[in-house]
Amino acid sequence: MPEKKTGSDQEYAALIHRIKEMLHGMRYGSLTLVIQDGKVIQLEKSEKVRLK
């Protein structure tokens, strides 16, 4: 049975683009997606800087 989509392909493409932007150049840290009613409603980025 196919998975039910709750957003348009355009919305998914925009979300993927935004995630890629947030990850670009990030070396250490995390990216958290907050989901509500089957949709991503928030992205949280926590970046760490390692001192040598």
Side-chain angles (χ1 to χ4, degrees):
M1 184 172 187
E3 191 174 315
K4 182 181 175 186
K5 280 191 170 182
T6 56
S8 71
D9 288 340
Q10 205 169 29
E11 288 173 328
Y12 285 115
L15 175 62
I16 296 300
H17 178 73
R18 183 61 189 221
I19 291 170
K20 285 180 179 181
E21 283 181 337
M22 292 178 82
L23 291 173
H24 182 72
M26 193 166 129
R27 295 191 49 151
Y28 302 97
S30 63
L31 181 63
T32 303
L33 284 69
V34 179
I35 312 294
Q36 182 176 326
D37 296 328
K39 294 182 101 176
V40 178
I41 61 162
Q42 183 173 317
L43 299 172
E44 298 174 2
K45 178 179 177 181
S46 175
E47 190 168 359
K48 299 187 183 293
V49 177
R50 302 263 174 143
L51 304 174
K52 293 183 179 185

